[in-house]
Amino acid sequence: VRRVTGRRCGESRTRAAILAAARDHFAARGFNGASLRAIAAAAGVDTGLIRHFFGCKDDLFIATLHVPDEVFEWMRKALDGDVGRLGERMVDAYLRLWENPATAEPLLAVARSAISSKKGTNRLRAVCGGSVFRDFLPHVGIDRAETRIALAGAHLMGVALARYVVQVPPLVNLGRDELIATCAPAIQRYLTEPLP
Amino acid sequence: VRRVTGRRCGESRTRAAILAAARDHFAARGFNGASLRAIAAAAGVDTGLIRHFFGCKDDLFIATLHVPDEVFEWMRKALDGDVGRLGERMVDAYLRLWENPATAEPLLAVARSAISSKKGTNRLRAVCGGSVFRDFLPHVGIDRAETRIALAGAHLMGVALARYVVQVPPLVNLGRDELIATCAPAIQRYLTEPLP
């Protein structure tokens, strides 16, 4: 049993290494300029193993854009509790997604490709319009839920890109709790208060 | 005289065509994967003309990330007037930047490259920390101006990417005036009201 577990752990580490190398390579070269051979070299595996785990280049690209279940679970959990502090919990949960490499790397890959290619744009639009937000809507239980979630999401994405990716100094220097307290009122308003 | 003007107009159209082709190509292939030959083909010119106007590939890349003066002028103009409506004017001016191809294309190129490469990240950080914001600070005349501008900028960038690039339906469907009225209170608060 231990050997099987060991092999599974090794497999999952190898898959993760391939995905990380693929995300960097697709970001640097775009989908068309990317090659399985270069990704395999960066991950320290051969291309056969990539084909075995992921299939063709298109399948691997889709896999790099897979948003893990934790993303949706953490955001859903943030919905529970006092509605008056929903903004605070949403900012907290969203920052946590970007502080954890297992969730931050796929989110960054989706954001990058959405901004650089039509293929990625369609993918991000599908995620935004997809299960997450359909699940959210009944919980929020307020008029114009899709508009509210899009506004809150756009604001939070801007903050995450500025703080974690571009690393704009004033946002990097804000403490986590201070950033939550600073952004929560805007998110609270978008989600729960009257809009024009 | 007319002929000289004509040639200048033609030159500036050719430069603009090369820059537009280069932005698309760098977005699709990244800096390392990009080639002057492919950019020249896309722009319908020969590589010699690109070298004549812009120099080497590195210089051309820098040129695609040049933020035109209008960007700073429009944002500066938005500072003038009633401080109580600063948020409204800032959202209005920022949306205008993304509605106009001459300003939207370089802003998108900077955002794309900032999210995909270290070279671009440094460039965007330099723009954020640079002249625009140094000029803004005395006008805003409030404590913690750099933090306020970073918060407002991150929020506005998220909204622009969601509306104009990813085209998230609820944000595309909001009318311009409605979007301004919706986002202005958050921007007003970041720029002028007490922060935690």
Side-chain angles (χ1 to χ4, degrees), chain B residues 57-173:
Chain B
K57 186 168 97 170
D58 206 272
D59 297 330
L60 177 61
F61 182 69
I62 296 291
T64 64
L65 302 184
H66 175 75
V67 176
D69 294 340
E70 296 100 287
V71 169
F72 308 124
E73 279 162 25
W74 293 0
M75 297 310 287
R76 260 198 296 267
K77 263 188 207 147
L79 289 168
D80 294 334
D82 173 15
V83 172
R85 304 185 68 177
L86 181 59
E88 197 180 308
R89 289 195 306 279
M90 295 296 272
V91 181
D92 181 28
Y94 192 79
L95 295 183
R96 215 161 359 115
L97 295 178
W98 285 88
E99 288 156 358
N100 181 324
T103 43
E105 284 168 15
L107 286 175
L108 177 56
V110 171
R112 273 172 170 159
S113 77
I115 293 171
S116 299
S117 79
K118 267 273 159 281
K119 203 188 266 279
T121 304
N122 293 337
R123 174 80 192 141
L124 181 54
R125 225 179 301 152
V127 170
C128 291
S131 58
V132 219
F133 297 118
R134 267 203 300 279
D135 284 0
F136 274 17
L137 305 188
H139 286 86
V140 177
I142 301 181
D143 69 311
R144 303 176 66 198
E146 295 201 33
T147 302
R148 293 174 178 283
I149 287 163
L151 288 162
H155 183 171
L156 290 173
M157 186 184 72
V159 169
L161 293 177
R163 178 176 166 97
Y164 299 106
V165 182
V166 183
Q167 301 179 16
V168 176
L171 290 187
V172 173
N173 296 338

Side-chain angles (χ1 to χ4, degrees), chain A residues 28-30 33 112 115 121 125 144 146 151 154-155 158 161 165-167 170-171 174 178 181-183 185 189-190 196, chain B residues 28-30 33 112 115 121 125 144 146 151 154-155 158 161 165-167 170-171 174 178 181-183 185 189-190 196:
Chain A
R29 290 295 180 114
R112 272 172 171 162
I115 292 171
T121 304
R125 229 179 298 152
R144 305 175 65 197
E146 294 200 36
L151 287 162
H155 183 171
L161 292 177
V165 183
V166 183
Q167 300 179 19
L171 290 186
L174 272 188
E178 199 182 357
T182 302
C183 294
R189 177 169 159 274
Y190 287 142
Chain B
R29 291 295 179 116
R112 273 172 170 159
I115 293 171
T121 304
R125 225 179 301 152
R144 303 176 66 198
E146 295 201 33
L151 288 162
H155 183 171
L161 293 177
V165 182
V166 183
Q167 301 179 16
L171 290 187
L174 272 187
E178 199 182 355
T182 302
C183 294
R189 176 168 159 274
Y190 288 143

